């Protein structure tokens, strides 16, 4: 890029660089964003989540050649959708998805197009967030887009519009302090909003000549290409002899591939076809593989082709494996739950959960992680229990990625997850179950005891790092150095709400003696009631005790 | 008026002296306990506490329906004495006894063309089956004919509500009443399933509830929601249990306090051998009249 002139337009190659530089910038500055967290409870770090989200796109783009702008934007948005973690990560991915929609037919992006794309991003993000709050990344992005719109009328230049957007984002970020009382008290700006400002600023730095370097990403590598689900085959005898598999790179990503699907259905069985907009992956059993390959050629270029005669006795391992998978029939309902701690996991399994995604408060799984878990469950409808308020939005994105019917039950805590499972009834349909499971969430109160991850003056409490914190639902109830004091307060709360069954799940940092002591403290507080108290080894991290009252 | 016998299967789970006092005849289903066969005689041969103790200690139980020949013999002697019969069988959703009774009745019709046997599928069980029969005994005492109480029974049998809960699911799972996969078997989490009887006379698990106190409250809430007149319910109410009298008593105390107009004392009965073979110890059931069961 020539750095001396103003960049009135950018193309696909430029956009690719912008995204890579943005990922680099978030990675370099993630600690600074993480530090902005004022809530004393240990949780998933905003900076790290945003960085991992954009990095997923950067990695994809680094491994591919320059493409037209619309394809680049779509590829980036898709990778972010897969890699999104935490609420801020998901919102960021939604902003980029909207931007990609805004650039859908463009080969170049000028000031007007960029302003329009930013607005599309904001629209997409607002649409997907149930209760958009002021003083967050949403407000920063919105003001940013509005300013861009105004600037684009003054001068139709990408750089001019971006610069205007950045200066408004700076102001909007400062204002977040006043918009949110918690931030105001701590005197800091919103972490997600800061992340968005960094993204915008880094884009301008990229225009001004900053060059991508080898991107090092600390967290796990996430694979973005989907795997074909070969599990849903019939168990019938071999009617069609040739197991035919191929991947086609599409000429035109937007080309409708449903006629191909229909054709394949007419000449064979055991059909699995995935069209992710760039590639079409097909698995089909047929007697006319040559015709199939000819037909599919209309859509693009072959990446790989494999044809095998299944009637041949020397079938290879792959087919064996395949037929083994065939035996498993799709059941009506399956469940994915997010949790950590082997005790908690075992209890979810006892309640009928098929797949556990390890994660929770300090470790927010990505959309991709949840998507993979959903794919691994051999069921037509899969319920996801996020069990954390920072994972619900991520879970909501999964249905975009799969044909399976995905229902997210918005559970915010582990006990809410358990309660939701109690509301499930296999004889009812999906919608009835969704309603009943959500209804059951309301039956249970969740209380948790953890430690303060940082000094904080939060909700009128003067908290030192390492203090014990008691949370009632989402709210910080009290802080103390004495755990018994907190347990008594929580038990008293349950007593006043006339709850009859108290469960204590103790964490991995709690000894059995400490757990039994907690049990007797709570039993003592509830001795005049008919409430039962049960103790479970949850082995969860972060929370010494998760206590539920129902 | 033509004289008739009010008869039922031994699965009504009412006390033997009550049944005798109300002049209700019954035919005993048989069961096998540890390889030895018994005929259910409402606890006379084997006290229910012994039966559940044996089950808890791992004794294997099996129940068998009444066969056609036994019915022919049982019905035959009443017909011989000039009585018509209204027989109320255990739910066809749980046992084949109803079918045997129907076949026997058809055969006997040829032998005793002047006599009549009305067979009612109670679509009920335990003291719910008993509640229907007790009500029919009231109507008989008020002077209703055999045909009239048969018609009444057919019209009202689905109005008897059966709600059950259990604190020990071992036997439900063994008997295939509850599938392990569907999460009903949450023993570790102390899940007490709340079941009821559907309109086909089958036991259906409806709700999973944690803890005994909660399920006791919930079962009484189900009565509030479903009983005729709600809290003003003025019919009879029965409770039955399998070796967990304290839990049954807790339900009774709540019911008595909340439904002051109930007809007579809320009777607590033992769940008999037939139903008990499926539930094992730890089940409490509550029965009352309400709006017709539709699912």
């Amino acid at each position: 890029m020539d750095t001396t002139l103003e960049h009135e337009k950018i193309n696909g190659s430029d956009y690719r660089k912008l995204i890579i530089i943005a990922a680099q910038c978030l990675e370099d500055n993630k600690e600074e964003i993480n530090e902005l967290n004022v809530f004393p409870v240990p949780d998933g770090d905003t900076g790290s989540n945003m960085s991992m989200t954009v990095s997923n796109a950067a990695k994809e783009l680094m491994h591919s050649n320059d493409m037209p702008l619309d394809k680049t934007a779509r590829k980036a948005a898709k990778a972010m959708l897969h890699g999104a973690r935490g609420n801020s990560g998901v919102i960021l991915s939604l902003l980029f998805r909207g931007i990609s929609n805004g650039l859908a037919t463009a080969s170049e992006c000028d000031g007007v197009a960029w302003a329009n794309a930013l607005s599309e991003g904001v629209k997409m993000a607002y649409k997907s967030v149930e209760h958009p709050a002021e003083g967050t990344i949403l407000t920063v992005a919105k003001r940013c887009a509005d300013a861009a719109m105004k600037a684009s009328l003054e001068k139709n230049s990408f750089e001019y519009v971006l610069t205007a957007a950045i200066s408004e984002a700076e102001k909007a970020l400062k204002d977040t302090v006043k918009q949110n009382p918690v931030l105001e008290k701590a005197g800091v700006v919103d972490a997600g909003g800061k992340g968005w400002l960094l993204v915008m600023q880094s884009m301008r730095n990229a225009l001004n000549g900053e060059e991508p370097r080898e991107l090092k990403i600390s967290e796990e590598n996430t694979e973005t290409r989907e795997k074909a689900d070969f599990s849903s085959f019939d168990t019938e005898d071999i009617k069609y002899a040739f197991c035919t598999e191929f991947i086609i790179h599409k000429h035109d990503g937007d080309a409708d591939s449903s006629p191909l699907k229909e054709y394949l259905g007419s000449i064979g069985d055991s059909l699995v076809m995935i069209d992710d907009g760039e590639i079409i992956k097909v698995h089909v059993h047929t007697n006319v593989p040559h015709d199939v390959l000819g037909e599919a050629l209309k859509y693009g270029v072959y990446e790989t082709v494999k044809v095998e005669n299944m009637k041949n006795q020397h079938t290879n391992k792959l087919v064996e494996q395949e037929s083994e998978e065939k035996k498993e029939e799709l059941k009506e309902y399956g469940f994915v739950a997010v949790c950590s701690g082997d005790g908690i996991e075992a209890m979810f399994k006892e309640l009928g959960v098929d797949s556990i995604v390890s994660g929770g408060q300090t470790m927010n799984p990505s959309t991709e992680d949840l998507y993979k878990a959903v794919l691994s469950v051999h069921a037509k409808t899969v319920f996801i229990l996020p069990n954390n308020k920072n994972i619900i939005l991520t879970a909501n994105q999964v249905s975009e990625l799969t044909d399976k019917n995905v229902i997210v039950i918005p559970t915010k805590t582990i006990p809410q997850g358990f309660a939701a499972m109690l509301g499930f009834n296999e004889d009812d349909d999906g919608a009835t179950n969704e309603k009943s499971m959500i209804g059951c969430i309301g039956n249970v109160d969740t209380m948790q005891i953890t430690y303060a991850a940082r000094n904080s003056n939060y909700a009128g409490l003067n908290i030192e790092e390492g203090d014990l914190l008691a949370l009632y639902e989402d709210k910080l109830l009290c802080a103390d150095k004495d755990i018994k004091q907190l347990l008594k307060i929580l038990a008293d709360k349950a007593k006043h709400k006339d709850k009859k069954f108290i469960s204590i799940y103790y964490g991995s940092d709690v000894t059995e003696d400490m757990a039994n002591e907690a049990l007797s403290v709570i039993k003592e507080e509830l001795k005049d009631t008919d409430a039962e108290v049960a103790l479970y080894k949850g082995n969860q991290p972060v929370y010494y005790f998760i206590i539920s009252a129902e | 008026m033509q004289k008739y016998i009010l008869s039922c299967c031994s699965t009504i789970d009412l006390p033997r002296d009550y049944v005798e006092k109300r002049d209700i005849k019954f035919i005993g289903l048989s069961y096998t306990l540890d390889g030895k066969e018994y005929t259910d005689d409402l606890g006379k041969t084997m006290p229910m506490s012994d039966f559940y103790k044996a089950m808890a200690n791992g004794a294997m139980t099996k129940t068998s329906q009444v066969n056609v020949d036994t019915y022919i013999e049982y019905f035959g002697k009443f017909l011989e004495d000039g009585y018509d019969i209204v027989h109320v069988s255990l739910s066809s959703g749980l046992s084949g006894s109803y079918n045997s009774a129907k076949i026997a009745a058809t055969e006997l019709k040829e032998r005793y063309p002047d006599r009549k046997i009305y067979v009612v599928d109670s679509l009920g069980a335990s003291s719910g089956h008993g509640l229907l029969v007790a009500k029919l005994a009231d109507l008989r005492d008020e002077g209703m004919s055999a045909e009239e109480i048969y018609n009444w029974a057919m019209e009202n049998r689905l109005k008897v509500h059966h709600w059950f809960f259990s604190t020990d699911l071992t036997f439900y799972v063994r008997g295939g009443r509850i599938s392990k996969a569907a999460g009903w078997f949450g023993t570790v989490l102390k899940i007490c399933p709340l079941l009821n009887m559907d309109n086909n006379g089958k036991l259906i698990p409806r709700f999973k509830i944690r803890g005994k106190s909660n399920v006791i409250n919930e079962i009484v809430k189900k009565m509030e929601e479903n009983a005729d007149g709600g809290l003003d319910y003025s019919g009879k109410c029965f409770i039955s249990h399998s070796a967990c009298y304290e839990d049954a008593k807790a339900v009774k105390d709540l019911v008595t306090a909340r439904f002051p107009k109930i007809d007579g004392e809320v009777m607590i009965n033992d769940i008999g051998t037939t139903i008990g073979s499926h539930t094992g110890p730890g089940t409490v059931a509550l029965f009352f009249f309400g709006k017709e069961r539709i699912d």
Side-chain angles (χ1 to χ4, degrees):
Chain A
M1 240 178 269
D2 187 338
T3 57
T4 51
L5 296 170
E6 182 174 298
H7 297 88
E8 295 192 343
K9 288 173 184 171
I10 61 163
N11 60 21
S13 166
D14 301 330
Y15 189 75
R16 172 171 175 261
K17 190 175 148 201
L18 261 49
I19 296 286
I20 293 170
I21 297 285
Q24 214 163 274
C25 171
L26 283 175
E27 179 64 18
D28 292 345
N29 294 288
K30 66 180 182 190
E31 284 309 324
E32 191 191 332
I33 304 177
N34 290 344
E35 293 295 315
L36 293 174
N37 191 350
V38 282
F39 200 46
V41 173
D43 55 12
D45 290 316
T46 305
S48 306
N49 281 340
M50 292 179 92
S51 169
M52 279 188 269
T53 303
V54 182
S55 290
N56 219 43
K59 270 184 287 174
E60 273 285 307
L61 296 178
M62 284 175 104
H63 293 138
S64 58
N65 298 323
D66 280 346
M67 287 178 298
L69 177 64
D70 54 343
K71 287 216 167 114
T72 311
R74 195 161 62 219
K75 200 175 180 84
K78 194 170 172 206
M80 283 193 227
L81 170 64
H82 278 265
R85 273 168 214 265
N87 287 343
S88 44
V90 174
I91 292 172
L92 190 60
S93 78
L94 291 165
L95 287 166
F96 274 103
R97 203 152 138 224
I99 289 172
S100 150
N101 290 349
L103 300 175
T105 51
S107 57
E108 287 183 322
C109 175
D110 55 19
V112 172
W114 184 237
N116 180 46
L118 287 175
S119 297
E120 286 297 318
V122 168
K123 246 188 256 166
M124 177 69 77
Y126 268 87
K127 203 172 69 190
S128 308
V129 177
E130 212 161 321
H131 305 291
E134 286 297 297
T136 64
I137 181 173
L138 287 173
T139 28
V140 174
K142 172 135 199 337
R143 278 177 59 182
C144 203
D146 291 347
M149 204 56 100
K150 219 172 121 199
S152 72
L153 299 176
E154 295 159 10
K155 190 174 175 188
N156 187 5
S157 151
F158 180 85
E159 188 166 353
Y160 182 79
V161 168
L162 180 61
T163 304
I166 290 169
S167 74
E168 183 63 24
E170 282 166 350
K171 284 184 220 146
L173 182 63
K174 265 191 205 129
D175 289 346
T176 60
V177 187
K178 288 176 286 180
Q179 285 165 321
N180 180 331
V182 174
L183 296 178
E184 187 166 22
K185 201 149 206 173
V188 297
V189 296
D190 177 67
K194 169 84 181 175
W196 184 244
L197 174 62
L198 284 173
V199 166
M200 294 283 112
Q201 285 173 335
S202 62
M203 286 181 160
R204 190 174 52 185
N205 294 343
L207 291 182
N208 292 335
E210 186 177 338
E211 284 301 323
R213 50 166 205 267
E214 190 57 38
L215 193 64
K216 62 162 192 21
I217 309 297
S218 44
E219 290 299 311
E220 73 203 54
N221 238 1
T222 41
E223 200 184 301
T224 51
R225 184 127 302 169
E226 1 190 359
K227 264 197 179 146
D229 180 2
F230 292 132
S231 62
S232 54
F233 301 153
D234 308 322
T235 51
E236 283 168 27
D237 293 333
I238 297 177
K239 200 159 95 192
Y240 298 103
F242 295 96
C243 172
T244 308
E245 291 183 80
F246 57 84
I247 295 174
I248 285 250
H249 206 102
K250 291 176 82 174
H251 291 311
D252 174 6
D254 296 328
D256 179 15
S257 59
S258 58
L260 178 61
K261 195 166 190 173
E262 211 170 288
Y263 167 76
L264 293 171
S266 71
I267 50 79
D269 65 5
S270 302
L271 173 65
V272 178
M273 178 172 136
I274 293 164
D275 177 356
D276 75 350
E278 279 172 46
I279 58 151
I280 301 176
K281 188 166 178 172
V282 167
H283 168 284
V284 68
H285 294 171
T286 178
N287 289 327
V288 287
H290 48 290
D291 291 348
V292 168
L293 296 177
E295 184 67 26
L297 204 55
K298 293 178 189 165
Y299 293 84
V301 187
Y302 283 106
E303 275 187 13
T304 62
V305 175
K306 195 178 76 188
V307 180
E308 279 179 330
N309 187 341
M310 295 187 294
K311 283 183 176 161
N312 190 337
Q313 281 306 302
H314 305 285
T315 45
N316 65 24
K317 213 170 133 200
L318 195 134
V319 175
E320 270 169 41
Q321 190 187 330
E322 185 185 280
S323 57
E324 212 158 277
E325 282 176 4
K326 269 190 203 174
K327 283 174 198 149
E328 204 169 345
E329 258 183 57
L330 279 192
K331 55 180 181 172
E332 208 57 45
Y333 297 112
F335 300 89
V336 170
V338 183
C339 66
S340 17
D342 54 8
I344 301 285
E345 276 184 25
M347 287 178 254
F348 270 116
K349 291 233 157 115
E350 187 184 59
L351 287 171
V353 167
D354 304 272
S355 176
I356 303 282
V357 174
S358 184
Q361 186 68 13
T362 53
M363 193 175 58
N364 301 151
S366 68
T367 311
E368 176 81 4
D369 296 337
L370 295 173
Y371 163 67
K372 280 183 181 160
V374 166
L375 270 199
S376 77
V377 176
H378 298 292
K380 292 178 202 158
T381 295
V382 180
F383 291 93
I384 304 180
L385 305 170
N387 300 330
N388 188 292
K389 67 174 167 32
N390 280 320
I391 303 176
I392 295 170
L393 204 51
T394 315
N396 284 342
Q397 310 307 309
V398 174
S399 61
E400 301 281 337
L401 303 175
T402 168
D403 283 343
K404 281 188 185 178
N405 184 24
V406 176
I407 301 178
V408 177
I409 306 295
T411 54
K412 293 181 180 165
T413 64
I414 296 293
Q416 287 189 356
F418 289 152
M421 283 307 289
L422 298 186
F424 172 74
N425 193 337
E426 59 188 346
D427 295 330
D428 289 334
D429 63 31
T432 308
N433 270 312
E434 180 180 10
K435 202 171 150 219
S436 144
M437 291 169 84
I438 290 172
C440 278
I441 294 175
N443 296 341
V444 64
D445 285 4
T446 305
M447 310 177 252
Q448 307 183 93
I449 295 183
T450 184
Y451 57 90
R454 52 189 74 83
N455 291 332
S456 169
N457 195 330
Y458 187 87
L461 299 166
N462 201 354
I463 295 159
E464 281 174 40
E465 186 174 335
D467 279 359
L468 294 166
L469 307 174
L471 296 132
Y472 194 85
E473 301 297 342
D474 298 4
K475 292 200 176 56
L476 184 59
L477 190 66
C478 49
D480 207 303
K481 304 227 185 288
D482 180 9
I483 203 158
K484 277 192 202 162
Q485 212 44 47
L486 295 179
L487 287 166
K488 275 186 192 167
I489 292 168
L490 293 180
D492 193 55
K493 198 111 182 159
K495 189 170 159 182
H496 279 97
K497 296 188 86 174
D498 198 26
K499 298 290 185 181
K500 305 285 189 197
F501 192 82
I502 315 297
S503 315
I504 307 170
Y505 309 94
Y506 63 99
S508 55
D509 298 325
V510 174
T511 64
E512 212 174 313
D513 286 348
M514 284 160 72
N516 280 316
E517 210 179 323
L519 176 68
S520 51
V521 169
I522 290 185
K523 274 192 164 161
E524 176 64 23
E525 284 298 307
L526 296 169
K527 66 172 189 278
D528 302 328
T529 71
D530 60 348
E532 298 160 68
V533 187
L535 183 65
Y536 301 98
K537 192 174 170 68
N539 252 344
Q540 70 276 9
V542 185
Y543 294 108
Y544 299 130
F545 293 102
I546 300 174
I547 300 167
S548 67
E550 54 203 295
Chain B
M1 188 175 68
Q2 169 61 38
K3 57 186 182 176
Y4 65 93
I5 295 288
L6 177 59
S7 156
C8 58
C9 305
S10 60
T11 52
I12 35 141
D13 294 351
L14 295 174
R16 194 180 167 91
D17 58 349
Y18 178 88
V19 172
E20 282 167 359
K21 200 176 76 199
R22 299 299 314 267
D23 194 20
I24 299 165
K25 308 292 181 206
F26 67 90
I27 183 166
L29 276 75
S30 48
Y31 62 96
T32 315
L33 185 68
D34 267 345
K36 198 170 165 217
E37 185 162 324
Y38 301 85
T39 299
D40 186 2
D41 54 7
L42 302 183
K44 192 173 161 196
T45 317
M46 177 168 317
M48 287 313 296
S49 52
D50 293 359
F51 177 81
Y52 289 117
K53 215 174 278 166
M55 270 186 107
N57 291 333
M60 292 307 287
T61 57
K62 233 182 89 193
T63 60
S64 43
Q65 63 189 64
V66 182
N67 63 36
V68 176
D69 285 349
T70 312
Y71 264 118
I72 287 178
E73 192 188 328
Y74 166 76
F75 287 150
K77 61 183 196 299
F78 298 125
L79 301 175
E80 198 62 40
D81 294 344
Y83 288 96
D84 285 353
I85 300 167
V86 177
H87 177 76
V88 186
S89 83
L90 171 62
S91 166
S92 61
L94 298 178
S95 155
S97 287
Y98 167 72
N99 271 331
S100 301
K102 282 292 276 187
I103 295 167
T106 313
E107 280 196 24
L108 287 165
K109 201 172 173 161
E110 288 166 22
R111 254 185 267 173
Y112 301 92
D114 298 335
R115 295 276 65 82
K116 275 203 170 116
I117 306 179
Y118 301 91
V119 182
V120 179
D121 177 357
S122 71
L123 297 175
S126 190
S127 304
H129 182 191
L131 185 59
L132 180 64
V133 173
K135 177 72 186 177
L136 297 181
D138 291 348
L139 296 173
R140 176 201 60 198
D141 296 348
E142 285 164 20
M144 267 196 190
S145 70
E147 190 180 356
E148 282 168 330
I149 70 164
Y150 168 76
N151 289 337
W152 193 93
M154 293 306 283
E155 264 167 46
N156 294 283
R157 58 188 175 167
L158 283 175
K159 292 180 184 166
V160 181
H161 284 242
H162 302 57
W163 287 92
F164 295 67
F165 69 79
S166 174
T167 52
D168 179 358
L169 296 172
T170 325
F171 293 91
Y172 286 79
V173 174
R174 193 189 287 169
R177 303 267 164 218
I178 288 186
S179 84
K180 209 167 180 171
W184 292 100
F185 195 67
T187 318
V188 172
L189 290 168
K190 295 202 162 79
I191 292 170
C192 302
L194 184 57
L195 308 88
N196 75 353
M197 189 157 279
D198 73 358
N199 55 352
N200 295 311
K202 289 188 195 313
L203 277 182
I204 309 289
R206 299 285 185 184
F207 303 100
K208 298 168 206 155
I209 291 156
R210 286 187 77 185
K212 218 195 285 181
S213 303
N214 276 332
V215 81
I216 286 172
N217 272 290
E218 196 62 29
I219 200 170
V220 178
K221 224 162 96 190
K222 289 297 160 213
M223 180 163 170
E224 282 178 28
E225 288 165 17
N226 293 295
D228 277 336
L231 291 170
D232 289 330
Y233 178 65
S234 58
K236 283 188 171 65
C237 170
F238 292 166
I239 290 170
S240 64
H241 72 97
S242 51
C244 51
Y245 179 79
E246 287 307 315
D247 299 342
K249 177 75 168 41
V251 173
K252 175 181 171 170
D253 290 347
L254 271 182
V255 168
T256 312
R258 269 188 231 173
F259 301 87
K261 295 180 182 165
I262 277 185
D263 176 15
E265 168 108 14
V266 175
M267 221 192 308
I268 298 184
N269 303 311
D270 287 317
I271 294 179
T273 51
T274 304
I275 306 298
S277 292
H278 295 293
T279 65
T283 291
V284 175
L286 177 64
F287 310 98
F288 53 89
F289 282 98
K291 43 188 172 283
E292 192 165 309
R293 289 160 13 212
I294 49 163
D295 61 1

